[in-house]
């Protein structure tokens, strides 16, 4: 068991989501930065799809009631392990990013705020074993499916260990400028001819109203060529939807399965982790990535 002493600004249980239910109105959900969750799981010998804890802006405190191996990936932050004297043990290694570390029973892990990025993933060997809903243990902030967001007093069960820990360290990549490559459409014809060029012309600033549903941006207005609204149609993660304000929204893991505002472009899947790590005040640019033969 892991006891949540303080969840920080927002913390949830996440795995790789519940695909295959969009036609029933159920979003996929899952880790916003799926690559970081996969890495954290690999570091402790888990299958990539086991559930971990997604910390938003860190600042959480967790007590391990049982000893376990753990690992951190995603937005880099400082972590401190505090083991009570009566436990008679000390952590095998200081908790750090991108490495497995041993947490003795009774140890409290205290997390700082990330130095960059927004979401940090804690994996525990055996995975977080809350009750699955529609085949997933993910919290969906839009529909309310899955476990509730973590709060003080929440107890999280840990599953039985599987696999072998075979990696000592996975160095974090050096940060680069936030550039998201996009494929035009499917509704770019709803905008004036130079709207896509406007989207890619300069930086947009991330709004404080962003969340797991989408990254709301402030910048150059994207002007429509058509009036009215589309009938609701399917949405995908990475879709850049443009409401009447002309300010784009990049959909993340908890996006609605349908929407009626036109989508001017879609972020490439490979760049979704970078989108998920954007924090309020960050600047991001878009780059048109045409399909082969287009």
């Amino acid at each position: 068991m892991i006891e949540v002493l303080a969840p920080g600004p927002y913390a949830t249980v996440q795995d790789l989501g519940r695909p295959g239910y969009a036609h029933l109105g159920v979003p996929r959900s899952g880790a916003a930065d799926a690559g970081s969750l996969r890495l954290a799981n690999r570091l402790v010998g888990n299958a990539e799809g086991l559930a971990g804890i997604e910390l938003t802006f860190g600042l959480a405190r967790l007590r391990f009631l049982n000893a376990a191996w753990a690992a951190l990936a995603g937005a880099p932050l400082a972590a401190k392990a505090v083991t009570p004297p009566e436990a008679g043990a000390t952590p095998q290694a200081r908790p750090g990013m991108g490495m497995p570390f041993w947490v003795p029973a009774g140890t409290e892990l205290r997390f700082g705020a990330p130095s960059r990025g927004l979401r940090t993933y804690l994996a525990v060997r055996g995975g977080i074993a809350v009750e699955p809903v529609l085949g997933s243990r993910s919290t969906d902030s839009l529909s309310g499916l899955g476990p509730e967001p973590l709060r003080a007093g929440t107890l999280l069960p840990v599953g039985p260990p599987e696999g072998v820990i075979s990696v000592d360290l996975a160095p974090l990549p050096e940060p680069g400028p936030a550039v998201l490559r996009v494929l035009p459409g499917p509704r770019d014809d709803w905008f004036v001819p130079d709207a896509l060029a406007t989207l890619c012309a300069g930086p947009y600033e991330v709004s404080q109203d962003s969340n797991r549903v989408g990254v709301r941006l402030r910048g150059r207005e994207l002007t429509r060529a058509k009036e009215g609204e589309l009938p609701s149609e399917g949405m995908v993660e990475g879709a850049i939807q443009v409401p009447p304000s002309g300010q784009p929204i990049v959909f993340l893991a908890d996006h609605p399965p349908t929407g009626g505002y036109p989508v001017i472009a879609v972020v490439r899947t490979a760049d979704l982790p970078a989108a998920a790590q954007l924090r309020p005040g960050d600047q991001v640019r878009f780059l048109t990535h045409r399909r082969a033969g287009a």
Side-chain angles (χ1 to χ4, degrees), residues 3-292:
E3 180 185 3
V4 179
L5 301 179
Y10 188 71
T12 56
V13 174
Q14 298 294 338
D15 55 21
L16 297 182
R18 43 183 68 86
Y21 296 99
H23 64 296
L24 299 176
V26 178
R28 177 178 183 133
S29 190
D33 179 356
S36 290
L37 175 63
R38 287 189 174 100
L39 173 58
N41 271 323
R42 291 199 303 270
L43 285 167
V44 292
N46 287 344
E48 291 185 347
L50 290 191
I53 299 174
E54 180 182 276
L55 301 175
T56 303
F57 213 70
L59 302 177
R61 293 166 49 221
L62 307 172
R63 177 181 291 128
F64 280 59
L65 303 184
N66 306 97
W69 283 96
L72 293 163
L77 48 68
K80 181 180 181 181
V82 180
T83 303
E86 60 269 20
T90 58
Q92 180 167 323
R94 178 183 176 87
M97 301 298 301
M99 65 178 67
F101 54 91
W102 176 251
V103 185
T107 297
E108 179 184 331
L109 292 186
R110 300 175 182 175
F111 302 96
S115 57
R116 55 180 169 84
L118 183 63
R119 295 179 170 94
T120 304
Y121 294 85
L122 174 70
V124 181
R125 193 174 183 212
I128 302 299
V130 295
E131 191 68 25
V133 177
L134 294 178
S136 171
R137 294 180 167 90
S138 289
T139 298
D140 185 337
S141 64
L142 183 65
S143 71
L145 286 174
E148 293 183 357
L150 304 186
R151 59 177 184 264
T154 299
L155 291 175
L156 298 173
V158 176
E162 296 181 6
V164 176
I165 297 176
S166 58
V167 178
D168 293 329
L169 177 67
L172 295 176
E174 288 298 319
V179 178
L180 304 180
R181 295 166 293 176
V182 301
L183 296 171
R187 298 297 181 183
D188 49 327
D189 59 328
W190 274 61
F191 299 87
V192 296
D194 64 349
L196 192 62
T198 299
L199 177 71
C200 299
Y204 280 82
E205 182 177 316
V206 178
S207 163
Q208 64 180 4
D209 296 324
S210 301
N211 52 29
R212 279 182 46 86
V213 174
V215 180
R216 294 180 177 270
L217 302 174
R218 293 189 293 253
R220 294 175 175 84
E221 182 178 339
L222 303 178
T223 305
R224 288 193 193 180
K226 296 183 180 181
E227 298 295 330
E229 300 299 334
L230 284 163
S232 289
E233 57 185 7
M235 289 290 135
V236 297
E237 190 173 0
I240 304 176
Q241 194 182 65
V242 184
S245 65
Q247 300 298 301
I249 303 169
V250 180
F251 277 153
L252 295 182
D254 287 355
H255 68 85
T258 62
Y261 297 137
V263 172
I264 191 171
V266 179
V267 176
R268 292 190 64 201
T269 301
D271 291 352
L272 289 176
Q277 292 295 355
L278 292 170
R279 59 202 283 181
D282 280 353
Q283 291 194 332
V284 59
R285 292 177 177 268
F286 295 95
L287 176 66
T288 304
H289 185 89
R290 296 282 179 180
R291 297 179 181 87

